Amino acid sequence: MASFLDLSSNWSLHSVPAAFVLALLPNFYASIAAGKNYDLANPRKTEEHLAKDTTLSKQQVNRILRAKAAANNGLETIGLYAAGVVAANAAKLPVETVNKLSLFYLGTRLVYNLVYVFLQDNRKFAPVRSLAWMAGLGAIFSLFIKAGNAL
């Protein structure tokens, strides 16, 4: 039976722009959900505008703010992730290994975003978000450690 994704082809470098898109998705959601509170000319004022808006529920405002935070978090880690992917490829790690770690990282970012933005209306989900974040860092560290061991 053929695999949906052929892991014998190197997809790891393609995962870097995919990670960038995953980092930006929560910000797109926040921009749309903020509606009139999102000023394209001055997007950093969104939080200030949201604080003054009485038409949105507290839950809506919190989701928007968490979405912006999730986007920022993704952008804060993408440089390290991209460097890890490049290091793994430069060290000529097995393609399947690099692909699996890359896909795992993307999966952790997806889980992180979904939990943080939507499920964390219930604060009990905060540890799940933290676990997803730590698992993503584990994938990044694995890329570097395996690359270092191979050189």
Side-chain angles (χ1 to χ4, degrees), residues 1-142:
M1 184 168 145
S3 173
F4 171 72
L5 184 62
D6 179 14
L7 292 180
S8 65
S9 297
N10 192 340
W11 293 97
S12 64
L13 290 173
H14 299 279
S15 73
V16 175
F20 187 71
V21 169
L22 279 174
L24 291 180
L25 283 176
N27 194 60
F28 292 143
Y29 165 79
S31 302
I32 292 166
K36 65 180 172 44
N37 295 300
Y38 183 79
D39 180 0
L40 188 58
N42 196 355
R44 294 182 187 246
K45 291 280 190 176
T46 301
E47 188 173 340
E48 182 182 318
H49 295 172
L50 287 169
K52 296 175 185 174
D53 189 339
T54 58
T55 63
L56 293 175
S57 71
K58 184 176 180 178
Q59 181 185 46
Q60 289 171 304
V61 170
N62 286 338
R63 276 189 181 175
I64 293 165
L65 295 177
R66 288 194 312 267
K68 291 185 77 52
N72 289 341
N73 180 273
L75 293 172
E76 289 163 358
T77 60
I78 194 165
L80 190 61
Y81 172 66
V85 169
V86 170
N89 279 287
K92 299 189 183 335
L93 290 182
V95 169
E96 188 172 341
T97 299
V98 182
N99 281 341
K100 285 180 179 178
L101 286 168
S102 298
L103 287 172
F104 182 76
Y105 176 79
L106 293 177
T108 64
R109 290 310 308 173
L110 181 62
V111 169
Y112 179 92
N113 288 342
L114 292 172
V115 170
Y116 199 10
V117 177
F118 298 107
L119 297 181
Q120 211 169 308
D121 290 334
N122 179 343
R123 294 179 57 85
K124 291 181 180 180
F125 280 101
V128 177
R129 181 198 83 219
S130 295
L131 185 61
W133 181 79
M134 287 186 282
L137 281 184
I140 294 170
F141 291 167
S142 293

